[in-house]
Amino acid sequence: MKGSLAQVWRKVQGCGDWEGLVSPSLHPLLREEIVRYGELVSACYKAFELDSSSSRYLSCKYGKGSMFEEVGMGGSGYDVTRYVYVTAPDIMTSIPSGSCRGRWVGYVAVASDDMTDRLGRRDILVTFRGTVTSQEWVANLMSSLTPARLDPGDPRPEVQVESGFLGLYTSNECGGSRFGLESCREQLLCEISRLLRKYKGEEVSISIAGHSMGSSLAHLLAYDISELGLNHRAPSSTVPVTVFSYGGPRVGNLGFKQRCEELGVKVLRVVNVHDPVTKLPGVFLNENFRVLGNYELPWSCSCYSHVGVEVLLDFLDVKNPSCVHDLDAYISLVRCPREEGIIHEDGVVGNIFERVMSNVVGNFELCRLRRAASGMVDQFLVQSQGAEFLMDNNFLGWMNCLALYMLM
């Protein structure tokens, strides 16, 4: 592929499913874009306020006009147009009673005029951070598949997504919030619709980038925009929608994957082979466990499935196992690839997965998680004496518990 980014941007955004741009090696332009979008996601972490004594606790430390400058990205080429908040009832245990339960999860931005000239189009950007508490991850990964039903005119019950992620995307804030929150979904669809109207006379793209849990929200938003047809301009004109996923989990079933492909949603997944988050949910029931020979297994419709094209990385530092899921580590290795991504240390022994998970789940006591997951698995085994459990919607939730128990 020859030419400047402004000339070939559609291919870099996934037109042609990145054929010839990922394998046998990353094309330089695509590499630069993966790094650039990753850094735009990292701004979410740098700007997120975790000091409980701050008046901006669980929000962004800075105003929209100064956020990029404050995090050292004044030359990003984007202007923030809206901050995005998400709620997760029943799992926000670290928030004092009576206070706002909305958490800042990312932002919507639009390319400046100068950046538009460089990119070859007006880029509407949405970024999402990942989880910052273990409660969020445990609640999400101990859930099950549920129909997305984001288009009321065509609910498509066969399109199923992980219910924890869907809840984060669609749940409304309780009354009394200082932010006056709508659901994450409502905030995003409203702002994206406004920007599409504003730039209706220009060449436009929608780029959605997320890390970890933020990747799941990116998937859901991309699907939602496309299913509702918000990116349709004329009978033969469609605004491309592209997801850049970093260390993201599976989001839905095969029906979700197939529908995303039908709608033209493009997903580029940057994955570290040692990152346990990318194996969940669906450690057991996933796209690799749908058929046996030529026989399609009865639970195939309930198997989780990754969406899109994979960019595979290989890095592990046994001295700091949590780096396997670290966004900065992802970005660094894409920017400066090395022949061997696994860093070993002589004399270090032990369960790497346990050390990784102990970092992923933060301050949770592993023994408490083991007991909780074990109890749920025991309950599952009691309830599953008949073969009909294989078709139950709760089956995937129990399998997630079992997977979490085994990883720990």
Side-chain angles (χ1 to χ4, degrees), residues 114-131:
D114 289 343
M115 178 60 81
T116 295
D117 291 338
R118 189 175 83 80
L119 297 177
R121 85 281 185 186
R122 184 76 64 176
D123 191 32
I124 297 173
L125 169 70
V126 184
T127 69
F128 298 102
R129 65 165 176 82
T131 51

Side-chain angles (χ1 to χ4, degrees), residues 256-276:
F256 176 72
K257 174 186 177 180
Q258 292 173 336
R259 185 57 182 161
C260 285
E261 293 171 347
E262 291 171 3
L263 293 169
V265 174
K266 303 301 180 182
V267 179
L268 189 68
R269 295 187 303 105
V270 186
V271 174
N272 176 17
V273 295
H274 301 282
D275 187 346

Side-chain angles (χ1 to χ4, degrees), residues 19-36:
E19 184 175 357
L21 302 184
V22 171
S23 180
S25 62
L26 277 178
H27 189 280
L29 284 179
L30 180 57
R31 184 185 303 278
E32 291 174 5
E33 289 299 273
I34 293 174
V35 170
R36 188 173 69 87

Side-chain angles (χ1 to χ4, degrees), residues 150-205:
L150 295 179
D151 182 0
D154 190 357
R156 296 183 181 275
E158 74 281 2
V159 176
Q160 300 185 3
V161 296
E162 208 276 335
S163 59
F165 298 146
L166 184 63
L168 288 173
Y169 183 61
T170 60
S171 64
N172 289 305
E173 177 59 75
C174 296
S177 166
R178 75 179 214 222
F179 300 115
L181 288 184
E182 303 167 302
S183 69
C184 176
R185 181 195 187 205
E186 291 168 329
Q187 297 168 57
L188 288 164
L189 296 183
C190 178
E191 182 64 6
I192 290 170
S193 297
R194 184 186 72 82
L195 293 172
L196 287 172
R197 289 193 301 270
K198 180 176 180 179
Y199 298 107
K200 63 181 179 181
E202 299 185 27
E203 191 91 78
V204 174
S205 65

Side-chain angles (χ1 to χ4, degrees), residues 1 4 92 97 99 127 134 141 153 198-199 222 253 255 263 298-299 306 328 336 345 385 392:
M1 182 179 67
S4 66
M92 300 300 194
S97 176
S99 62
T127 69
S134 51
L141 297 180
K198 180 176 180 179
Y199 298 107
N253 68 346
L263 293 169
W299 54 82
H306 275 304
D328 288 337
C336 301
E345 179 186 20
Q385 298 301 313
D392 193 291

Side-chain angles (χ1 to χ4, degrees), residues 29-327:
L29 284 179
L30 180 57
R31 184 185 303 278
E32 291 174 5
E33 289 299 273
I34 293 174
V35 170
R36 188 173 69 87
Y37 282 116
E39 290 175 339
L40 288 165
V41 175
S42 72
C44 295
Y45 290 106
K46 295 174 182 176
F48 191 50
E49 181 60 87
L50 286 171
D51 181 359
S52 60
S53 65
S54 170
S55 61
R56 289 182 174 268
Y57 180 47
L58 301 181
S59 184
C60 183
K61 300 176 186 178
Y62 316 110
K64 294 192 293 291
S66 62
M67 191 268 284
F68 281 128
E69 192 72 35
E70 293 286 355
V71 300
M73 296 179 61
S76 68
Y78 286 83
D79 299 314
V80 177
T81 65
R82 180 162 186 165
Y83 282 162
V84 182
Y85 297 84
V86 69
T87 61
D90 301 326
I91 62 172
M92 300 300 194
T93 57
S94 63
I95 303 178
S97 176
S99 62
C100 172
R101 291 194 290 182
R103 296 187 174 199
W104 184 66
V105 73
Y107 60 88
V108 182
V110 65
S112 65
D113 291 343
D114 289 343
M115 178 60 81
T116 295
D117 291 338
R118 189 175 83 80
L119 297 177
R121 85 281 185 186
R122 184 76 64 176
D123 191 32
I124 297 173
L125 169 70
V126 184
T127 69
F128 298 102
R129 65 165 176 82
T131 51
V132 292
T133 68
S134 51
Q135 294 97 322
E136 292 171 332
W137 262 122
V138 172
N140 287 335
L141 297 180
M142 287 188 177
S143 222
S144 58
L145 286 167
T146 188
R149 301 185 188 278
L150 295 179
D151 182 0
D154 190 357
R156 296 183 181 275
E158 74 281 2
V159 176
Q160 300 185 3
V161 296
E162 208 276 335
S163 59
F165 298 146
L166 184 63
L168 288 173
Y169 183 61
T170 60
S171 64
N172 289 305
E173 177 59 75
C174 296
S177 166
R178 75 179 214 222
F179 300 115
L181 288 184
E182 303 167 302
S183 69
C184 176
R185 181 195 187 205
E186 291 168 329
Q187 297 168 57
L188 288 164
L189 296 183
C190 178
E191 182 64 6
I192 290 170
S193 297
R194 184 186 72 82
L195 293 172
L196 287 172
R197 289 193 301 270
K198 180 176 180 179
Y199 298 107
K200 63 181 179 181
E202 299 185 27
E203 191 91 78
V204 174
S205 65
I206 299 174
S207 302
I208 312 171
H211 171 241
S212 191
M213 175 204 72
S215 169
S216 67
L217 295 176
H219 279 71
L220 290 173
L221 175 60
Y223 165 71
D224 201 5
I225 291 170
S226 302
E227 188 68 89
L228 295 176
L230 298 184
N231 60 328
H232 292 172
R233 286 186 155 179
S236 59
S237 176
T238 302
V239 174
V241 179
T242 305
V243 173
F244 290 86
S245 165
Y246 304 84
R250 295 182 179 92
V251 178
N253 68 346
L254 180 63
F256 176 72
K257 174 186 177 180
Q258 292 173 336
R259 185 57 182 161
C260 285
E261 293 171 347
E262 291 171 3
L263 293 169
V265 174
K266 303 301 180 182
V267 179
L268 189 68
R269 295 187 303 105
V270 186
V271 174
N272 176 17
V273 295
H274 301 282
D275 187 346
V277 172
T278 64
K279 312 292 192 298
L280 297 169
V283 168
F284 300 107
L285 297 184
N286 56 54
E287 60 270 23
N288 300 314
F289 194 53
R290 291 180 50 252
V291 296
L292 184 62
N294 295 322
Y295 177 68
E296 185 169 349
L297 298 173
W299 54 82
S300 61
C301 62
S302 296
C303 287
Y304 284 93
S305 182
H306 275 304
V307 181
V309 174
E310 185 176 81
V311 175
L312 205 59
L313 305 178
D314 185 349
F315 62 91
L316 171 65
D317 185 347
V318 296
K319 293 182 293 185
N320 179 26
S322 64
C323 78
V324 299
H325 189 59
D326 182 71
L327 178 59

